[in-house]
Amino acid sequence: MKILIKNGIVIDPANKINSAMDILIDQGKISGVEKIINIDVDTVIDAKDKIVMPGIVDMHVHLREPGREDKETIASGTKAAAKGGVTTILAMPNTLPAIDGAEMVDELKNIIGKTANVNVLIAGAITMGRLGSELCDIAALKNHGAIALTDDGSSVDDADIMLKALARAKKDKLVLICHCEDKSLSEKGVVNLGVISTRLGLRGISNESEYKRVERDIGLAEKAGASIHIAHVSCKESVEIIANAKKKGIKVTAETAPHYFSLSEEGLLDYNTNMKINPPLRSKEDVAAIKQALRQGIIDIIASDHAPHTENEKDIEFDYAEYGTIGLETELAVSVTELIHTGLLTWESLVEKMCYGPAKVLGIDKGTLGIGRDADIAIVAPEKEWEVTKECFVSRSNNSAFLGKKLKGAVEHTIYKGNIIYSMKP
Amino acid sequence: MGFQQETNILTKEEIARAITRISHEILECNKDSKDFAVIGIRTRGYILAERMAEAIGKIDAMDVPVGALDITLYRDDLSDVGDQPVVHKTEIDFDIEGKTIILVDDVLYTGRTIRCALDALIDFGRPKSIQLAILIDRGHRELPIRADYVGKNLPTSQKESVQVKLKEIDGEDRVFIERHENDQNGK
Amino acid sequence: MTRTVNKKSQWTHKDLLGLEYLSKEDIELILDTADSFREILDRPIKKVPALRGKTVVNLFYEPSTRTRVSFEIAAKRLSADVINIATETSSVKKGETLNDTGKNIEALKADIIVVRHNCSGAAAMLARHVNISVVNAGDGWHEHPTQGLLDIFTLRKKTGNIKGLNVSIVGDIAHSRVARSNIWGLTKLGANVTVCAPGMLIPPGIENMGIRATEDIGEALSNADAINVLRMQFERDEKGAFPKQMEYFKKFGITDERLEKAKKDIIVMHPGPINRGIEISSKVADGANSVILEQVTNGIAVRMAVLFWLSQAKKGLSK
């Protein structure tokens, strides 16, 4: 099976390519990237005026399986990924039960093998049951196939345990991802602390509850001489702390999600529970700081933090609603709308943050269009406008913070290992 | 749309004469007991009531209590589709218990307004009797109601509307008929 | 006798969720109508048929006697039928959801739901899910619009005009829906609002609502034409953020001594129920400046006006 992508603008920062190129795919791999390729193939995709980029590597996704298949499954989540141009996912371990031992990794691997539509990588928990008190058997997690560790959804409160985890992760060459939240500061909060929480009469979550923990975890990583990845950065103080740590040479990488650079707390004025997210949508000032951090490279990675929830868990009293928004199907469009069309980022730097950058952090051979690599490709219509509606999602849930928003930029085709796994309906 | 045509019915002087005559009639009918009060239906009935009380006071050197009744909350068409109502104050600062009440309105038509006013009045107590004074009776009753004192009986068609203008509100005293002609069938 | 001439009235809201969402004209329409309704309460027969055949459901997820009774009386004065549903604090874990309860009440052909709920935003959510009118009778810390309206109505009756008045709200501002509704309503009508509380009870960014905040009770009282004393709810204290009761009274309690330094005719309001000796002294609560019981009576007239306009809402809603 040979596929030829003609006339597209190929963006591949790993190989310093940003120009009109043809791409030949043969037997699931990229076999040619040249100005003009003329050869007999099975399928030709005309990509004139389209962006041809590596498939997105989304290192922060909640697939909910096993345990909450009513919200999402590996099958439905990876189908949503395909629609969003995502070809590699790091699945978060806060399933039911949590991925905290070899058996759970095996079970998950089994489901992935049977049902996944894209590449799904496994993150194991740091502590048993993600309860923060007892370290998992990290070597076993690694040996059975986990490539990262995180207690995402919670932070490891005990600094001593966190330090040990960092040391183990370093030894076993696993990526340690920190959900930074001091629950003693954010307790019961449901929106950003400030003018909006005051107006709405809702409990606030301070910036402090995030950045104090970012500060602590980076300090522990420095002490352990380990690398560390900070998940979903949302506030300006965290940005500053990460920037300083990078200057000092600490091995820290940072990620943010599209909603933190596109939406602010003001969207919550009508108690829209789809915008109830943890960390919360912050002030306009924070949003501006996140954008600048992306531009300056302080934040390395954009990931969706795709967090599906059922309508029963979202369409209820604000205090009772679950935290999180889905994001796999909108992350690229939101990024193109907010970062490319505003001139904040170039296509190369966006691909760096969504494809090549996360692949590097995870240590996987993805996120580029180099010859011989897996043919994981997204073809994007950069000017195409569309409106986010409940009906447009293939995810099992539709709790999107972007419902009703108009976005500019749409995935037309997604190719995974040489197969076209998604094409936009004409 | 049709066009409108106005026909004058009462002048300023004729209105004044009608009020004076009704005032004499009221005194004549109630000569046995002077324990009566005048209550007008907002808004123009109340103004007529004020004028009648003044006229009665002049004729018989007595102080007649005057009240204002707002019947918005008693209307039987309140929940029908239509314009939103305007709620005014009802102001009756005397006890109506045992009194003869002269209820005053500008135009008597279907009788529904008076029905509402009777309901509203009775919520204030139990008057000895209620008599009805009207400036214009234009017919077309839908309820068994009749006026005790009438300024002018005016046969009308239902296509017409009777307009009473009073200077306290409208800047002039005048009564006229407005005829809404419908080019087609005039239904 | 005065002649009240209302402007051409226009009510366009299906629900009353908060004073934040009303215009100055909306608020004035309710106050003017309440003025007309106030007289009904002094009649021998305290009832008019305006809402005859309508059903008002009081749906209370928080214990409340006075607000519920006030709504009940208001509805009955307008000849509506009233059903009271009191539920334990709602929980997502057990029982029927608020939305389902609301839809059931709608299916029972009720016309207006008056809802009190412990969660901020609950009334707004309910209003989105039903086609019938919803009145917010207090949602979490967010708003208690009819309390705000009756406080403003009482002030307007006493002073004639809200514009330019200096009003201080004293007490637990952070957790008070009464404070928020008063702030929205008073500022829309042109009053100068000051809130006064211990620092921990002044929520961040409150000044952005167009008001002044101070921790100095003397300052809050010095130029005030009126003070609204909030009930201190010590049971809400979660992390020991509140001062102790006696300490609070010493520092913020409204006493004769404090009032002596204020304007002589300062109006003292309280949404009730009052904690004597905690936020207000008995002498002040029962004294000449207090309008606390007038507020209770006015509350009925204001709620009548609200129920009346919501029952007329369909006519004003633009298609």
Side-chain angles (χ1 to χ4, degrees), chain B residues 42 46-47 50 66-70 72-94 115 119-120 122-125 168-169, chain C residues 1-12 29 32-33 35-37 39-40 43-52 54 78 157 308-309 312-317:
Chain B
R42 283 202 191 269
Y46 171 56
I47 288 162
E50 279 183 320
V66 187
L69 193 62
D70 183 79
T72 315
L73 301 171
Y74 291 81
R75 272 165 50 179
D76 58 9
D77 59 352
L78 199 51
S79 52
D80 292 356
V81 181
D83 285 346
Q84 287 185 349
V86 179
V87 183
H88 295 288
K89 254 187 188 152
T90 286
E91 290 176 90
I92 300 174
D93 52 9
F94 48 86
R115 201 276 309 161
D119 278 357
I122 280 164
D123 281 353
F124 282 86
E168 291 88 334
I169 297 170
Chain C
M1 248 182 230
T2 55
R3 185 168 294 143
T4 0
V5 179
N6 295 42
K7 325 176 249 309
K8 175 78 182 148
S9 51
Q10 193 66 19
W11 181 259
T12 54
L29 176 62
D32 291 347
T33 309
D35 222 17
S36 299
F37 283 176
E39 159 269 325
I40 295 168
R43 294 186 189 177
I45 298 171
K46 302 177 187 60
K47 205 177 187 81
V48 294
L51 263 64
R52 194 171 55 187
K54 303 265 184 207
L78 294 170
K157 256 188 133 40
F308 176 76
W309 280 116
Q312 298 293 313
K314 282 202 178 103
K315 296 181 196 175
L317 292 178

Side-chain angles (χ1 to χ4, degrees), chain B residues 133-152:
Chain B
I134 288 292
L135 184 60
I136 304 286
D137 182 347
R138 61 169 293 193
H140 304 288
R141 215 77 77 238
E142 291 169 6
L143 296 173
I145 282 169
R146 60 158 186 79
D148 299 281
Y149 314 100
V150 179
K152 185 175 177 63

Side-chain angles (χ1 to χ4, degrees), chain C residues 246-278:
Chain C
M246 282 321 294
E247 188 195 334
Y248 181 85
F249 187 63
K250 252 189 228 159
K251 283 191 179 157
F252 294 92
I254 304 303
T255 58
D256 263 8
E257 296 74 47
R258 288 214 160 95
L259 281 197
E260 264 169 32
K261 293 178 193 135
K263 285 188 181 173
K264 204 171 168 296
D265 54 354
I266 187 170
I267 297 164
V268 178
M269 299 193 290
H270 191 298
I274 55 176
N275 290 314
R276 290 172 185 268
I278 291 174

Side-chain angles (χ1 to χ4, degrees), chain C residues 7 11 17 28 64 127 140 195 238 257 276 288 293:
Chain C
K7 325 176 249 309
W11 181 259
L17 302 176
E28 283 173 344
S64 154
V195 297
E238 287 161 2
E257 296 74 47
R276 290 172 185 268
L293 291 174

Side-chain angles (χ1 to χ4, degrees), chain A residues 4-222:
Chain A
L4 181 60
I5 305 167
K6 297 265 318 162
N7 308 320
I9 299 155
V10 175
I11 311 283
D12 182 16
N15 293 298
K16 302 200 163 39
I17 296 173
N18 177 2
S19 57
M21 293 276 202
D22 293 352
I23 295 185
L24 180 64
I25 300 164
D26 191 8
Q27 292 181 3
K29 304 281 181 189
I30 290 172
S31 69
V33 180
E34 284 166 49
K35 268 269 170 251
I36 293 168
I37 302 176
N38 282 318
I39 182 173
D40 262 357
V41 293
D42 306 282
T43 310
V44 177
I45 298 172
D46 180 15
K48 191 168 173 358
D49 300 328
K50 306 284 170 5
I51 298 290
V52 180
M53 59 183 268
I56 293 165
V57 178
D58 187 342
M59 66 178 290
H60 200 136
V61 176
H62 299 273
L63 288 176
R64 305 294 186 211
E65 191 176 2
R68 285 307 303 269
E69 291 82 358
D70 54 332
K71 299 182 195 231
E72 196 80 283
T73 60
I74 289 176
S76 68
T78 51
K79 223 176 144 191
K83 183 162 183 269
V86 178
T87 51
T88 293
I89 281 172
L90 180 66
M92 290 292 113
N94 64 335
T95 48
L96 280 175
I99 311 301
D100 59 0
E103 278 168 42
M104 287 309 303
V105 175
D106 288 343
E107 189 187 327
L108 190 58
K109 253 174 23 193
N110 185 34
I111 307 171
I112 291 167
K114 283 181 182 154
T115 65
N117 300 299
V118 301
N119 184 29
V120 178
L121 303 170
I122 298 170
I126 299 170
T127 63
M128 294 304 290
R130 300 171 42 252
L131 296 172
S133 48
E134 187 192 339
L135 270 192
C136 293
D137 183 345
I138 288 170
L141 289 172
K142 158 94 179 176
N143 291 337
H144 284 253
I147 69 155
L149 292 174
T150 180
D151 269 3
D152 186 59
S154 310
S155 183
V156 178
D157 287 331
D158 188 318
D160 197 39
I161 292 175
M162 191 61 187
L163 190 60
K164 284 190 179 120
L166 280 156
R168 286 307 307 254
K170 185 188 175 192
K171 183 165 165 280
D172 289 324
K173 295 196 171 56
L174 288 169
V175 186
L176 200 99
I177 302 170
C178 298
H179 167 109
C180 290
E181 178 186 8
D182 183 341
K183 284 216 159 97
S184 71
L185 295 172
S186 66
E187 200 192 10
K188 290 185 187 165
V190 290
V191 291
N192 187 42
L193 179 74
V195 189
I196 302 298
S197 66
T198 292
R199 267 174 74 170
L200 293 173
L202 292 171
R203 283 168 217 269
I205 302 173
S206 62
N207 286 10
E208 201 183 5
S209 68
E210 175 179 312
Y211 74 76
K212 286 273 184 198
R213 188 51 56 92
V214 172
E215 199 165 34
R216 186 204 76 171
D217 284 352
I218 289 177
L220 292 173
E222 185 183 20

Side-chain angles (χ1 to χ4, degrees), chain C residues 34-76:
Chain C
D35 222 17
S36 299
F37 283 176
R38 176 63 187 80
E39 159 269 325
I40 295 168
L41 305 176
D42 296 328
R43 294 186 189 177
I45 298 171
K46 302 177 187 60
K47 205 177 187 81
V48 294
L51 263 64
R52 194 171 55 187
K54 303 265 184 207
T55 304
V56 175
V57 173
N58 284 325
L59 178 60
F60 277 59
Y61 288 89
E62 267 187 351
S64 154
T65 310
R66 60 184 53 220
T67 302
R68 186 189 52 72
V69 167
S70 179
F71 268 108
E72 186 169 349
I73 291 179
K76 286 182 170 168

